[in-house]
Amino acid sequence: MELFTSLKQKVQGHGLKIVFPEATDPRILKAAQRLQQEELIEPVFLGNPEAVQQAAATAQVDLSQIQILDPNHYDQFNDMVQAFVQRRKGKNTVEQAQTMLRDPNYFGTMLVYLKQVAGMVSGAVHPTGDTVRPALQIIKVKPGLTRTSGAFIMQKGEQRYLFADCAININPSAQELAEIAVTSAHTAQLFDIQPRVALLSFSTKGSAKSEEVTKVAEATQLAQTMDPTLVLDGELQFDAAIVPTVAQQKAPQSTVAGQANVFVFPELQSGNIGYKIAQRLGGFEAIGPVLQGLNQPVSDLSRGCNTEDVYKLTLITAAQAL
């Protein structure tokens, strides 16, 4: 089944609320209206109501069925401040919390944490740090993980793969790389990918020796220990991971080589370059980044996104909330 047809079927009828801190952006407005009209989610906009209404009028978007919350005039603001201070465990004072929660990304993240909404989508205007930082401070990562990571769904026709980490961690350790591998496998399942995970390197099964290769080999062992049920292997070169004839030559004993569909890159440079090569030269649609490993879903848009990107990433966010 086509990916987004499947996601629509999963989220429809659940009445999931998704908060948008960038409610004056026309891309956000149009995508949220479409999602609301298709009865896939219930959008919640943040901002000054007059400014949002004006932006919506310019974009020809009907807000009559969409909730708008103003962080500067919110009835439960004091309760939110107290919950934030408690969550931060003394790292921020009440006065600091009052200032921070006027920021729409912090305010929206607290709505997610307090379960008043199911997830948040931001980043069309704000840089990645402004979206991710509140999520890490408030929602935090799932038990057993030390960090979040960013995956892309790569799709072309009936081909569907997952690439990670392409967005967050510059140079993960072996332990962190193992976490990314296991989390990526679980993310893949959400998108109807039965994961066969390859931890990538410029070496296949010891064909080269270096610290970089050792890190990937160690990460593979750690990941296999973390979740022995996964079909996962490394270190593998990309051709060995995806081409059966090459796999037979380079890694004949591997359960993954030649048939991998989840690719874990050894560090951010190769991951970011890799997905963009697949996108620009290979003609794959790159959907994401999907922030994985958080207790509740927060998604970070690219500032170069279009309305369709917002629509699709919001569907992904809603699916993560189920």
Side-chain angles (χ1 to χ4, degrees), residues 7 9 13 69 76 247 267 272:
L7 291 178
Q9 290 182 0
L69 296 179
Q76 302 171 49
E267 34 68 46
N272 192 270

PDB file of all heavy atoms in Angstrom, residues 7 9 13 69 76 247 267 272:
ATOM      1  N   LEU A   7      -0.834   5.558   6.198  1.00  0.00           N
ATOM      2  CA  LEU A   7      -0.807   6.441   7.366  1.00  0.00           C
ATOM      3  C   LEU A   7      -2.168   7.083   7.606  1.00  0.00           C
ATOM      4  O   LEU A   7      -2.606   7.219   8.756  1.00  0.00           O
ATOM      5  CB  LEU A   7       0.262   7.510   7.192  1.00  0.00           C
ATOM      6  CG  LEU A   7       1.722   7.048   7.237  1.00  0.00           C
ATOM      7  CD1 LEU A   7       2.657   8.217   7.012  1.00  0.00           C
ATOM      8  CD2 LEU A   7       2.041   6.355   8.547  1.00  0.00           C
ATOM      9  N   GLN A   9      -5.082   5.844   6.905  1.00  0.00           N
ATOM     10  CA  GLN A   9      -5.959   4.831   7.482  1.00  0.00           C
ATOM     11  C   GLN A   9      -5.662   4.624   8.958  1.00  0.00           C
ATOM     12  O   GLN A   9      -6.571   4.380   9.758  1.00  0.00           O
ATOM     13  CB  GLN A   9      -5.818   3.516   6.706  1.00  0.00           C
ATOM     14  CG  GLN A   9      -6.399   3.559   5.303  1.00  0.00           C
ATOM     15  CD  GLN A   9      -6.298   2.234   4.585  1.00  0.00           C
ATOM     16  OE1 GLN A   9      -5.783   1.257   5.125  1.00  0.00           O
ATOM     17  NE2 GLN A   9      -6.803   2.177   3.352  1.00  0.00           N
ATOM     18  N   GLY A  13      -9.984   8.984  12.369  1.00  0.00           N
ATOM     19  CA  GLY A  13     -10.939   8.564  13.375  1.00  0.00           C
ATOM     20  C   GLY A  13     -10.447   8.631  14.802  1.00  0.00           C
ATOM     21  O   GLY A  13     -11.214   8.382  15.739  1.00  0.00           O
ATOM     22  N   LEU A  69      -4.562  29.138  20.173  1.00  0.00           N
ATOM     23  CA  LEU A  69      -4.159  29.436  21.551  1.00  0.00           C
ATOM     24  C   LEU A  69      -3.083  30.513  21.535  1.00  0.00           C
ATOM     25  O   LEU A  69      -2.143  30.447  20.734  1.00  0.00           O
ATOM     26  CB  LEU A  69      -3.617  28.183  22.242  1.00  0.00           C
ATOM     27  CG  LEU A  69      -4.591  27.014  22.448  1.00  0.00           C
ATOM     28  CD1 LEU A  69      -3.875  25.852  23.126  1.00  0.00           C
ATOM     29  CD2 LEU A  69      -5.800  27.446  23.261  1.00  0.00           C
ATOM     30  N   GLN A  76      -4.547  28.587  31.534  1.00  0.00           N
ATOM     31  CA  GLN A  76      -3.833  27.614  32.370  1.00  0.00           C
ATOM     32  C   GLN A  76      -2.316  27.858  32.387  1.00  0.00           C
ATOM     33  O   GLN A  76      -1.545  26.954  32.669  1.00  0.00           O
ATOM     34  CB  GLN A  76      -4.125  26.204  31.865  1.00  0.00           C
ATOM     35  CG  GLN A  76      -5.608  25.849  31.862  1.00  0.00           C
ATOM     36  CD  GLN A  76      -5.887  24.534  31.167  1.00  0.00           C
ATOM     37  OE1 GLN A  76      -5.240  23.524  31.433  1.00  0.00           O
ATOM     38  NE2 GLN A  76      -6.849  24.528  30.251  1.00  0.00           N
ATOM     39  N   ALA A 247      26.899  -8.877  -2.187  1.00  0.00           N
ATOM     40  CA  ALA A 247      26.777  -9.463  -0.853  1.00  0.00           C
ATOM     41  C   ALA A 247      27.308 -10.893  -0.822  1.00  0.00           C
ATOM     42  O   ALA A 247      27.964 -11.306   0.137  1.00  0.00           O
ATOM     43  CB  ALA A 247      25.320  -9.431  -0.411  1.00  0.00           C
ATOM     44  N   GLU A 267      28.199   8.421  10.688  1.00  0.00           N
ATOM     45  CA  GLU A 267      28.208   9.777  11.266  1.00  0.00           C
ATOM     46  C   GLU A 267      27.365  10.682  10.362  1.00  0.00           C
ATOM     47  O   GLU A 267      26.927  10.275   9.287  1.00  0.00           O
ATOM     48  CB  GLU A 267      29.638  10.320  11.467  1.00  0.00           C
ATOM     49  CG  GLU A 267      30.659   9.897  10.428  1.00  0.00           C
ATOM     50  CD  GLU A 267      30.408  10.483   9.062  1.00  0.00           C
ATOM     51  OE1 GLU A 267      30.147  11.696   8.981  1.00  0.00           O
ATOM     52  OE2 GLU A 267      30.484   9.749   8.083  1.00  0.00           O
ATOM     53  N   ASN A 272      23.888  12.702   5.870  1.00  0.00           N
ATOM     54  CA  ASN A 272      23.275  13.852   5.221  1.00  0.00           C
ATOM     55  C   ASN A 272      23.597  13.874   3.728  1.00  0.00           C
ATOM     56  O   ASN A 272      22.719  14.112   2.889  1.00  0.00           O
ATOM     57  CB  ASN A 272      23.747  15.138   5.902  1.00  0.00           C
ATOM     58  CG  ASN A 272      22.949  16.345   5.477  1.00  0.00           C
ATOM     59  OD1 ASN A 272      23.295  17.011   4.508  1.00  0.00           O
ATOM     60  ND2 ASN A 272      21.864  16.626   6.184  1.00  0.00           N
TER      61      ASN A 272
END
